[in-house]
Every structure is written in structure tokens, then in C-alpha cells.
Amino acid sequence: MNPAAINRRHLLLAGAGLTVSVLASCRTSDVLNPGDGQSRIETAKSLEMVNALRADKGLSRLSRNARAEVAAVAQAKRMARAGEMSHLIGFRDSFLERMKGHDVPLPAAENIAAGQDSVERAVQAWIDSKRHLDNMLGSFNGLGVAVAWDSASANRPYWAMVLSA
């Protein structure tokens, strides 16, 4: 085989290897393993705060929902990687499709925040916002909350709360 053919073949294989590496770095376990130093599930403390708020309004308690937690981790990580607080990141992003993709029981809602240095401050920011408060007082049964950090901007925390049926 001539050197040009070998180089083309090597580039094709390297390109294929790069594709495999990129796909491999986007594993489901990234979402399911929040203890990777980049994200953390924060449902327990959030659940206490939200349930106290709901009890004051005579509403039923929410429960921890593992699927909502996975969706919250995924959204917090997406925002941290993008360095942007947004429900929709990228062309063709869809909240409904994301929830379906994580098997979150519908209907569902999502609260997001950025910059708060504790779960208490993130939940308080949502309480102080009518639209976010309405989500927390809505007809939901499950809850998942997560935080992820953007190392590119001084470890800014990005928060996501997913409420589910």
C-alpha cells in the first residue's frame, strides 16, 4: 500500500476513533452518576423546603422521584457545559422530549437557576418567583433537584428542579 493510501486510511480510522470517543463520553452513566464531581443531587433538602411550603397551603406532599432526579442532573449538566441558564439549549431542544427521554411521569415542570451557592438559596429564589412558585405548588407528585458546576466560569453552579406527576 502506498504512503498516501496509508495516511488516508489512518485518518479515516482516527476519525472513526474520534467519533467513538465523543459518543462514549456521552454515556447514560454520566447522567446516572451525579457524584462525578461535576454535579450533585440535592433533592432531600429541596423536598423538605417544598413540602413545608405545600403544607402551609394545604397541599399534598411531594416524594423523591428517581426519574425526575436523572432529568434534573441532565439539565443542570447541560446548562453548566453550555455556560448558560436556559430551559432550551441548542437547536430543536424540547422540554417535552427531554422529559419523555428520561421517562419522567407527565405532566412535568422544570425550574432552573444559576449562581446560588446553596440549595436553600436556589429554592428560595424559586419561591420568590411567582412562575416558579406556581410550579412548586402545582398538581405534581414527584421531585428531583440537582446542581452542576461550570468550571469555565469560576465553578458557577447551575440548578435544575424537575417536578413530575
Side-chain angles (χ1 to χ4, degrees):
M1 196 179 289
N2 72 41
I6 291 172
N7 285 340
R8 278 193 301 272
R9 184 170 183 226
H10 179 72
L11 286 173
L12 287 173
L13 291 173
L18 179 61
T19 301
V20 169
S21 296
V22 169
L23 292 175
S25 71
C26 210
R27 301 178 315 269
T28 303
S29 61
D30 286 347
V31 174
L32 297 178
N33 181 11
D36 62 5
Q38 297 175 25
S39 65
R40 183 174 65 231
I41 291 174
E42 290 282 358
T43 304
K45 183 61 181 173
S46 303
L47 201 51
E48 282 179 36
M49 294 176 72
V50 172
N51 279 336
L53 180 69
R54 290 175 64 90
D56 287 346
K57 306 285 184 187
L59 300 171
S60 63
R61 296 177 56 80
L62 300 179
S63 300
R64 187 175 201 153
N65 183 289
R67 292 177 179 155
E69 286 178 333
V70 169
V73 169
Q75 179 62 12
K77 282 185 170 188
R78 284 165 26 101
M79 292 187 301
R81 287 180 185 136
E84 173 185 355
M85 185 184 81
S86 179
H87 292 282
L88 303 177
I89 299 171
F91 188 66
R92 294 188 181 183
D93 193 4
S94 162
F95 171 74
L96 182 59
E97 292 306 315
R98 281 192 291 111
M99 294 303 109
K100 285 181 180 179
H102 292 294
D103 294 322
V104 173
L106 300 175
E110 178 179 75
N111 289 346
I112 59 173
Q116 293 80 5
D117 62 359
S118 70
V119 66
E120 292 87 356
R121 288 194 172 128
V123 173
Q124 189 60 53
W126 291 323
I127 290 170
D128 293 341
S129 163
K130 180 166 176 17
R131 287 179 47 204
H132 296 100
L133 177 62
D134 288 347
N135 282 344
M136 292 185 289
L137 298 178
S139 296
F140 297 107
N141 300 313
L143 180 75
V145 177
V147 61
W149 291 267
D150 171 19
S151 59
S153 64
N155 289 318
R156 183 176 190 205
Y158 290 86
W159 299 87
M161 170 186 279
V162 174
L163 299 120
S164 65

